[in-house]
Amino acid sequence: MDYEVIVVGGGPVGMMLAAELALAKVKVCLLERLKETTPYSRALTLHPRSLELFDLRGLKTKLLRIGKPLPTGHFAALDTRLDFSVLDSSSNYTLYISQHDTEKVLEAWAQSVGVEIRRETEVVSVRQDAQGVEVTAFGKNGEAVLTAAYVVGADGAGSLVRKQAGIPFEGTDTTLTAMLGDVVLANPPETNTLSRFTEHGLVMIVPVTDRLHRVVMIDPVRKEVPKEEPVTLEELRSGLQRILGSDLGISEPFWLSRYGNATRQAKRYREGRIFLAGDAAHIHFPAGGQGLNVGLQEAMNLGWKLAAELKGRAPDWLLDSYHSERFPVNTALLRNTQAQTMLMGMEFSPRMMGLRSMLSDLLRIPEANKELAAQLAAFDVRYAPDEEALPHALNGRRFTELKLRLDNGTVLNAYELFHSGCFVLLHLASDDRLNDNVQWAGDEHIRVVRASIAGQEAEWDDVHTALIRPDGHIAWAVPRSEPQPLEAIKQGVVRWCGSRPI
């Protein structure tokens, strides 16, 4: 085999997945047809859970130096904003940052951990058998035939990998299109941002750089134009005039795009030795900027599982859990984006304006606002608890960034423990039996941490020991009331980590 894993597609999802694999000492190659990172702003939002994932790998501060934190977001461009600041996290905001900048940070990280990146390389064939996968690609030096144990398709909505794996892409076709443009506005809105829904259409405007503004528009006059038809500056100008009564002095388009509401999901995320992630696995109307963010979550979910399989420590069920965990999360995402699409562009009428006004009023109720904010933030994602683990309310949940006091008195943010991409066995009970009898000698993928919680965290009061996965979800927690905690810990570590305590 030339590689252990080949990742097809070098956008944010592919880069993050490749870096996750390399972090676990997997020999990985990333193939990308573009010569360099996209110059366009494209996706502009990193959501709170994505920022937590970057924090787990020590990358969040790099992104914060570039982007702008925003405490609110929107659902279907309703007047009442979603308030992320009430969420339980230091990442209780979105980060306004261009996809270009996000990709550059991820590419630098991937290179630093040893990913081989082959740009200007287009994959034309993917074939698998019981032993591995063969990828044929054309690059600067002509044709190359590469082999790997596994291939991951992160190659977008038209995924060649998905098609050649024979995985159905089920759902609905485009019935509505929207337009966007990164343009110069001689007369931008006084507040520099704007969101307006009228009987004449929807316009959202945000600054992209000191010079450019992003104009997003659903124009009822143009919403049935095929997605493939290029957007023109005149289209945006006439739409602005109808909806706002002014064209705002629009000129000098840097990037124009038309996109649709096609909603599809791969029937399965795995076919033998081939996996899918990001837009290759699901597409939807980009409402709320969720697509990039769920793709990053998939990369984190799959990376450590593939690494465990390649290193010979994965239980039989682990690789299949990628589909079983992520498919229902993304099914809920598609329902969410379809609801937003209906509210944003299916109908421009007094009754729709009345419905939007009612929903906007409901979002003024703090509990309702927080519930929807948590959904968009992906803080509500909980994987099915392990049926073989002791029951506990924390099992499968997202691991929040606890403040821990180590045995030597040092206080740290628990996310710092995950920079190497390892499991963390968090022991909180000061049980000497753990010290005397349970050690995982030489297992770099498990970090045993003996600590106490600095502060009040009621849901952790009864936890003796917990195993936190490399992607920041809790595999299991053993309660202090358990009469045989040591045996439960041993069994749980063997089941999840493939390690046998000595």
Side-chain angles (χ1 to χ4, degrees):
M1 295 288 176
D2 296 311
Y3 303 97
E4 292 177 288
V5 179
I6 292 173
V7 177
V8 181
V13 177
M15 277 297 173
M16 188 158 194
L17 177 59
E20 283 289 298
L21 290 164
L23 193 64
K25 307 296 191 294
V26 171
K27 186 179 182 184
V28 58
C29 176
L30 185 146
L31 306 178
E32 167 55 47
R33 64 180 180 83
L34 296 179
K35 182 177 181 179
E36 56 188 19
T37 300
T38 175
Y40 304 120
S41 56
R42 298 178 68 88
L44 283 171
T45 303
L46 291 176
H47 285 178
R49 184 54 181 165
S50 297
L51 294 173
E52 287 190 339
L53 297 183
F54 284 123
D55 205 6
L56 287 167
R57 297 298 183 261
L59 299 173
K60 178 179 163 182
T61 54
K62 295 181 181 180
L63 293 160
L64 286 174
R65 294 190 195 109
I66 305 168
K68 178 183 178 181
L70 297 175
T72 65
H74 78 88
F75 183 86
L78 294 173
D79 289 341
T80 302
R81 304 277 291 178
L82 297 180
D83 182 8
F84 295 114
S85 70
V86 300
L87 300 177
D88 179 25
S89 174
S90 69
S91 299
N92 54 356
Y93 50 86
T94 62
L95 189 66
Y96 190 72
I97 183 172
S98 75
Q99 183 173 323
H100 166 82
D101 291 327
T102 301
E103 286 186 11
K104 294 298 286 185
V105 169
L106 284 169
E107 183 170 12
W109 180 46
Q111 290 173 329
S112 73
V113 293
V115 176
E116 180 181 336
I117 300 173
R118 297 193 184 191
R119 286 193 172 273
E120 297 182 87
T121 302
E122 184 163 5
V123 173
V124 296
S125 173
V126 179
R127 298 190 301 171
Q128 66 171 319
D129 57 28
Q131 283 69 51
V133 189
E134 180 183 275
V135 176
T136 302
F138 281 89
K140 292 178 288 187
N141 299 318
E143 181 181 280
V145 178
L146 307 172
T147 57
Y150 295 96
V151 164
V152 181
D155 51 338
S159 175
L160 175 88
V161 175
R162 183 189 65 240
K163 293 172 183 174
Q164 300 226 330
I167 300 174
F169 203 36
E170 300 178 338
T172 57
D173 291 329
T174 296
T175 59
L176 170 150
T177 59
M179 300 175 282
L180 68 79
D182 289 351
V183 297
V184 172
L185 296 179
N187 304 300
E190 289 185 8
T191 58
N192 220 22
T193 64
L194 179 144
S195 178
R196 184 77 54 83
F197 185 99
T198 76
E199 66 273 19
H200 301 296
L202 169 70
V203 168
M204 292 185 287
I205 299 174
V206 293
V208 177
T209 66
D210 291 341
R211 184 168 179 270
L212 296 176
H213 280 76
R214 164 76 58 87
V215 174
V216 177
M217 181 183 300
I218 301 178
D219 184 347
V221 176
R222 304 292 294 170
K223 71 176 187 175
E224 294 182 5
V225 174
K227 183 171 70 71
E228 294 73 24
E229 184 174 319
V231 176
T232 68
L233 185 63
E234 184 52 40
E235 265 188 296
L236 290 177
R237 177 181 287 113
S238 61
L240 287 172
Q241 190 68 52
R242 278 193 301 275
I243 300 168
L244 301 180
S246 168
D247 68 6
L248 304 181
I250 188 172
S251 65
E252 299 183 54
F254 178 70
W255 178 52
L256 301 174
S257 179
R258 196 185 311 272
Y259 55 94
N261 67 328
T263 301
R264 294 186 175 276
Q265 182 165 209
K267 187 172 184 178
R268 51 191 177 274
Y269 288 6
R270 178 189 185 185
E271 180 64 36
R273 293 178 171 273
I274 296 174
F275 293 82
L276 303 176
D279 288 352
H282 44 78
I283 59 170
H284 53 85
F285 195 70
Q290 297 173 87
L292 167 62
N293 290 276
V294 297
L296 296 174
Q297 294 161 37
E298 288 155 20
M300 288 283 278
N301 186 290
L302 180 58
W304 66 273
K305 294 175 179 178
L306 262 181
E309 177 68 22
L310 288 161
K311 300 305 179 184
R313 56 177 183 253
D316 293 341
W317 51 268
L318 189 63
L319 278 185
D320 285 337
S321 73
Y322 171 60
H323 172 89
S324 64
E325 289 186 341
R326 293 305 307 176
F327 189 88
V329 171
N330 292 325
T331 299
L333 165 71
L334 299 187
R335 289 197 298 266
N336 173 292
T337 55
Q338 285 174 319
Q340 291 196 66
T341 305
M342 184 196 73
L343 291 167
M344 293 170 73
M346 286 301 184
E347 182 179 324
F348 296 89
S349 66
R351 67 177 182 176
M352 178 57 73
M353 296 187 67
L355 175 60
R356 287 175 57 88
S357 177
M358 181 184 71
L359 293 174
S360 190
D361 287 343
L362 287 173
L363 286 182
R364 293 192 178 96
I365 301 172
E367 294 80 6
N369 196 296
K370 184 176 181 180
E371 179 74 18
L372 209 50
Q375 284 186 26
L376 262 68
F379 280 6
D380 67 332
V381 173
R382 179 179 183 178
Y383 298 136
D386 183 356
E387 293 181 355
E388 296 193 18
L390 293 171
H392 197 284
L394 290 174
N395 291 358
R397 285 179 51 180
R398 152 185 159 262
F399 179 59
T400 55
E401 48 190 323
L402 302 176
K403 291 292 184 183
L404 299 178
R405 180 173 287 106
L406 306 183
D407 284 351
N408 63 7
T410 301
V411 176
L412 54 74
N413 183 328
Y415 280 11
E416 296 176 36
L417 303 171
F418 293 85
H419 289 184
S420 64
C422 61
F423 281 93
V424 170
L425 187 70
L426 180 59
H427 176 64
L428 301 172
S430 300
D431 189 335
D432 290 339
R433 292 174 296 176
L434 187 79
N435 300 346
D436 295 339
N437 299 313
V438 182
Q439 295 184 33
W440 287 271
D443 283 350
E444 295 181 356
H445 66 291
I446 306 173
R447 185 168 184 174
V448 181
V449 178
R450 297 169 178 85
S452 60
I453 295 178
Q456 298 296 316
E457 298 288 347
E459 59 191 359
W460 286 85
D461 286 348
D462 76 329
V463 174
H464 179 286
T465 301
L467 181 69
I468 298 95
R469 302 164 18 162
D471 61 355
H473 277 261
I474 300 166
W476 48 257
V478 174
R480 292 177 187 250
S481 59
E482 167 58 33
Q484 295 182 308
L486 189 61
E487 186 59 29
I489 294 167
K490 288 180 180 180
Q491 291 178 4
V493 171
V494 170
R495 173 165 166 76
W496 278 84
C497 307
S499 301
R500 300 202 171 274
I502 59 173

